[in-house]
Amino acid sequence: MTLDQAIAPNFGAYVTYVQDNKNHYFQAPVNESSYLNRTIAAGVQKQVGEHTFGANYMETRYSDTSATPGQPVTLTDRGELRYMGNWGTKLSTEASAALTKIQQEGYQTSWVRDYSLSGVYDVNDSSSLGASVMQSVLEINYTADAYVRKKLDSGVKYDFRLGRWGVGLGYGHREEERVRMDHSYVDVPKWNTWNLKLNGRLTSGVQLGLKG
């Protein structure tokens, strides 16, 4: 069930409720299993000139309703702030920040923080320069396995036309902070990626695309 309402000019809000029940039946001696997923979400959005601001909240509750539950009740709360805007006729930007809280019966509370920022600048009518950066910070206190504690992705790309060909040049950088299962060691691998994309029409019926 979703309710979407325009409250005032350039200002709107929505509310969503979803409930999903799943039952699985098996032949003896395997026990039947039942799960209940409930999601409640709400958000608002406001446009001011060429800029749009938004805020969302979502709560998800997972319950194992089997006769002999094998999974703990999990409650996830997520809040997010978003922004999109144009600065003049050449520059457009997007940004977001989110905080997720994860609670499970019998375990400590865990947190996930997500941040992102991106922008595109139109150099001229046939070329543009884009850049982005995204980071996730995880505090998973209930896992017994190794996991990624922090992720960072960033990159730049330049798209332009060369005659009848479209050319894209890109560079990406990625880091992951990985924690060993017993939390005794931290590894931080890094990746650097360069890529080239080329696409164009050879004839009226043949188009070629290359990526490397």
Side-chain angles (χ1 to χ4, degrees):
M1 180 180 67
T2 301
L3 174 63
D4 194 341
Q5 180 66 42
I7 300 174
N10 299 322
F11 181 73
Y14 76 91
V15 177
T16 299
Y17 178 84
V18 179
Q19 182 167 304
D20 183 21
N21 294 280
K22 293 184 179 180
N23 299 300
H24 303 278
Y25 301 96
F26 307 96
Q27 293 183 349
V30 180
N31 296 325
E32 65 179 62
S33 60
S34 301
Y35 304 94
L36 172 63
N37 285 309
R38 185 203 68 195
T39 300
I40 301 173
V44 294
Q45 182 169 292
K46 172 65 175 178
Q47 184 173 351
V48 181
E50 295 295 322
H51 308 276
T52 302
F53 304 87
N56 299 317
Y57 169 77
M58 181 173 65
E59 177 190 277
T60 302
R61 183 182 180 90
Y62 168 83
S63 303
D64 186 345
T65 56
S66 307
T68 55
Q71 300 291 333
V73 174
T74 301
L75 182 64
T76 303
D77 296 278
R78 179 180 174 86
E80 181 184 24
L81 298 175
R82 294 179 292 106
Y83 164 79
M84 295 183 296
N86 296 321
W87 302 83
T89 60
K90 290 184 173 291
L91 178 63
S92 61
T93 57
E94 294 186 21
S96 67
L99 176 64
T100 303
K101 179 182 179 182
I102 306 172
Q103 296 175 285
Q104 281 190 329
E105 291 183 342
Y107 297 93
Q108 297 182 29
T109 300
S110 295
W111 301 87
V112 179
R113 297 173 177 84
D114 296 299
Y115 311 95
S116 68
L117 176 64
S118 63
V120 176
Y121 179 76
D122 294 327
V123 180
N124 52 45
D125 292 339
S126 60
S127 63
S128 64
L129 179 65
S132 64
V133 59
M134 296 179 291
Q135 184 181 52
S136 296
V137 181
L138 298 86
E139 299 177 15
I140 309 299
N141 297 315
Y142 56 82
T143 181
D145 299 318
Y147 76 99
V148 177
R149 187 167 63 184
K150 184 181 294 184
K151 295 186 291 184
L152 175 67
D153 285 281
S154 60
V156 294
K157 64 177 183 176
Y158 181 56
D159 297 309
F160 62 97
R161 296 204 62 83
L162 189 62
R164 61 181 180 178
W165 296 92
V167 183
L169 303 174
Y171 166 76
H173 177 77
R174 182 180 181 184
E175 297 182 11
E176 289 187 355
E177 186 176 292
R178 303 186 298 196
V179 183
R180 186 176 287 177
M181 182 172 60
D182 59 3
H183 296 190
S184 63
Y185 177 75
V186 176
D187 179 33
V188 187
K190 300 178 182 180
W191 297 265
N192 293 299
T193 305
W194 292 264
N195 59 75
L196 167 66
K197 293 190 294 183
L198 181 68
N199 61 80
R201 189 173 296 278
L202 298 178
T203 66
S204 59
V206 179
Q207 187 172 350
L208 175 67
L210 299 173
K211 182 178 180 180

